[in-house]
Structures are given as C-alpha cells and as structure tokens.
Amino acid sequence: MRNLKSATMSAHESRDIYFKTLFADPYGLKNKKYDWGGENTFVYFSLLVYGIGIATLLALEANGVLPEINPNIYFAFIFAVFIELLGKVVFSWSIHRFKIKINYIRKLAIRPWRKLKIYVITLFFVIEGKDAVHIICMLFFMDQLKTIFTEWNVIRRRVPILAYAFVAWDRIEDRPYTLRYDMLEDILRFIVYLPFIIIFGKASIIIMIPNLINEFGDGLAEPVGIRFGRHKYRTRSLWYNGKFWNGDFQRSLEGSAMVYIISVVVLLMYSDLFTSTQLIISLIFLPIIMTVAEAFSPHTNDGPMLALTGCSFLWVTMNFT
C-alpha cells in the first residue's frame, strides 16, 4: 500500500516534481491538454440557474411575498468576498515564496480563513435575521456567482490578480476541474443541509456536529495524508477526463483517522446536549460511520456525504433513543 501509484497524483511523488510541475504552469492555464470547454458550458448553465434563483427571490420580495432583505447583508457579503480574496493572495504568495504545497494551504489556511472572516465581518456589520431560509438561499446563490467570477478560467485570463489568488485553492491534481468540483460540492452540500436547517435551525447540533467534523476532520485528513500517509487507498471523482466516476485519486488510512478522532472530540464538546444513552450510542457509531462515509465518498464530494450521514444519524439518535 505504501508504494501505491497514481497517474492523477503523480505530481506528489516527490517535492521536486511537485514544485517543478506547479511553477511550470502556476495558474493552470497553459496546459493545452486541458479542455476548458466543459467548464465554460458548466458556467453558462450555472449563471442561468443562479440568475433565475436571485431574480425569483427579488421578485417575491418586491411583491411582499418575502420580507425585505437587510441591505447590510449585501454589504457584508461584498466585504466577505474582499477578505477571502485578500487571504488567497497572501496564501498564494506563501506558496511561491516558501514552497508550501497547495493541499496544505487549502485545508490548513484558507478553510480557517473563511471561518475567521465571519467573525471579522461582525466587527463591522450588525445583521439581524440572516438565518431566514430565503436569505440563506440568496446568499448561497450569490456565493456561487462569486465562485464563477473569481475562478472561471475566462475571467482569470483577463484579471491577473484573480489568477494569482486562485493558486492557493487550485490543487494540481484537480485541474482543470477545480471550479466544477467546488460548485458541485457546494450545491450537493446545500441540498443536504437545507431541509435540516428548515426543520431544526442552523444552531441545532444535528447540523453543527457534522459541519464541524467536516471542517476539521476532513480539513486535517488531506494534509495528514499527504505528509504522513503510508497506507494509501484509491478513490475516484464523480467526473474526470470526460467520464463519470473516473480519475485515480488517493486517500490514506492516516488521513481518514483524523475524521474518526475529530468526530469523537466534537461529540465530547457537545456531550451536555445528549442524554447518557444518546452520547454512548453516538460515540460508538458516529465516528465509524463518518470515517467510512469520508473514505468511500467521491474525491472533492466528501462534504455532502458527511453532511447526509451525520445529520441523518443524529436525527435518528436524538429522536428515537
């Protein structure tokens, strides 16, 4: 298992190969083998769908069907985009200056930075009612458009600062599918979480616990696997090289163990919200279930799998034990 080879992950065979590959095409726009037509088609369709979604919400708001959205929410969103891009620029500079692998920066820097920006925003904006379902939907649609306008290859070719910032997120093995992977995972995760949010609210542990396991367990799994993983196993992507369920990606037992450990830690953090029976059942089964879900989920789509598995298990546990 230690010598498991992967054509998709070949850049990781050595540090020298990795940075030689990265610096030869840091923005991923020079490789003539990349088919950007698929991304362009995906973007055009997404622009139509999310544009209709935003227009529908605005029309319902204008006709009094939905409450008016606090303008501060839009200002806060714009500020959040600025903060995120600033972080990406700094982290991209770190990759070039200190030769840090994108995989480390993506999970250990940008993910925490995205969470930190939420707390920074609260220093400047007081926002009420942001957890209403129609506002959650509006912010999701806007966030997807933000992804398009900052990651789409057509725009990155014309705006150098966006191309530079994207280096911090654009793993070599994901190119040229990074944008599609991001947006597909986001929509699947949104579809999973939204019904639970509607029923239980964003602050429910049924939602918070799987979210934290995903953020920190999956967040540590990749860096640990890249740095310390010796027992590799294969996984595939939903879409790669023009085919469904394709690609030759790798995970490791050492990385997956992070999901198990973080699951236990998170459950213990919220132990006072469980009965003794619920806590014991959760400690026995949830870490195993979440670890298996992460291990068998498609590459870049473990988030939705962890959300569905975790929320469903906790809903059953909290209501039937």
Side-chain angles (χ1 to χ4, degrees):
M1 298 179 73
R2 177 177 298 182
N3 297 318
L4 188 64
K5 297 292 184 180
S6 166
T8 309
M9 305 287 289
S10 59
H12 291 276
E13 290 182 0
S14 75
R15 181 177 173 83
D16 289 340
I17 292 175
Y18 182 89
F19 286 102
K20 182 179 180 180
T21 303
L22 176 62
F23 293 149
D25 185 13
Y27 306 139
L29 298 173
K30 295 180 181 179
N31 194 327
K32 295 182 179 181
K33 294 181 180 179
Y34 291 162
D35 177 16
W36 294 106
E39 177 175 290
N40 296 340
T41 301
F42 181 88
V43 165
Y44 296 142
F45 178 76
S46 298
L47 285 171
L48 175 63
V49 171
Y50 294 123
I52 291 173
I54 290 175
T56 300
L57 290 175
L58 290 176
L60 292 173
E61 180 184 323
N63 287 280
V65 178
L66 293 174
E68 183 178 354
I69 296 177
N70 185 340
N72 277 348
I73 289 178
Y74 297 114
F75 292 127
F77 177 83
I78 294 171
F79 186 60
V81 172
F82 170 76
I83 293 295
E84 181 175 329
L85 286 175
L86 177 63
K88 283 185 174 180
V89 169
V90 172
F91 297 136
S92 294
W93 174 82
S94 300
I95 290 170
H96 287 86
R97 177 66 178 83
F98 301 107
K99 292 187 176 180
I100 305 171
K101 285 189 176 183
I102 296 170
N103 306 69
Y104 297 149
I105 291 292
R106 179 180 166 117
K107 293 296 179 73
L108 297 178
I110 293 183
R111 267 196 171 185
W113 181 257
R114 283 177 167 175
K115 293 298 179 183
L116 178 63
K117 75 181 181 185
I118 296 174
Y119 299 99
V120 172
I121 289 170
T122 60
L123 299 176
F124 297 89
F125 297 94
V126 177
I127 303 173
E128 298 179 356
K130 64 182 182 303
D131 292 339
V133 173
H134 72 289
I135 295 178
I136 292 173
C137 291
M138 176 64 84
L139 289 174
F140 174 75
F141 296 154
M142 291 169 57
D143 190 66
Q144 293 301 285
L145 292 182
K146 177 268 298 180
T147 298
I148 290 173
F149 293 131
T150 58
E151 296 186 10
W152 186 17
N153 76 90
V154 172
I155 295 178
R156 286 191 289 124
R157 293 175 194 275
R158 291 166 173 76
V159 185
I161 191 65
L162 294 180
Y164 186 83
F166 193 49
V167 173
W169 190 252
D170 190 23
R171 291 179 297 203
I172 293 175
E173 59 268 26
D174 288 349
R175 297 175 177 178
Y177 302 99
T178 303
L179 178 145
R180 281 169 279 180
Y181 286 162
D182 284 353
M183 294 184 66
L184 181 59
E185 182 175 30
D186 285 345
I187 184 61
L188 292 175
R189 185 162 39 209
F190 181 75
I191 290 171
V192 171
Y193 274 125
L194 186 60
F196 289 100
I197 291 173
I198 293 173
I199 296 172
F200 303 107
K202 282 182 69 174
S204 169
I205 60 171
I206 291 175
I207 295 162
M208 291 189 64
I209 287 177
N211 189 33
L212 288 171
I213 294 172
N214 179 36
E215 287 297 325
F216 294 99
D218 178 55
L220 288 172
E222 182 176 358
V224 168
I226 292 290
R227 180 64 180 87
F228 302 105
R230 295 294 180 268
H231 302 85
K232 309 280 188 179
Y233 60 92
R234 300 184 189 277
T235 188
R236 299 186 185 277
S237 172
L238 287 177
W239 181 264
Y240 187 81
N241 200 24
K243 297 179 181 179
F244 283 106
W245 198 244
N246 195 27
D248 187 17
F249 298 93
Q250 292 181 352
R251 292 187 176 126
S252 71
L253 296 182
E254 290 83 357
S256 294
M258 294 298 100
V259 178
Y260 185 94
I261 294 170
I262 294 298
S263 297
V264 173
V265 171
V266 172
L267 283 170
L268 292 176
M269 286 171 54
Y270 289 94
S271 60
D272 58 326
L273 300 179
F274 293 86
T275 66
S276 297
T277 301
Q278 291 169 347
L279 181 60
I280 292 172
I281 291 174
S282 297
L283 284 170
I284 291 173
F285 293 107
L286 185 62
I288 297 173
I289 292 172
M290 296 295 271
T291 302
V292 171
E294 187 269 344
F296 284 94
S297 61
H299 174 67
T300 74
N301 272 280
D302 37 11
M305 284 289 289
L306 290 171
L308 179 61
T309 304
C311 290
S312 299
F313 175 86
L314 288 169
W315 173 73
V316 171
T317 301
M318 300 296 288
N319 287 277
F320 298 99
T321 57

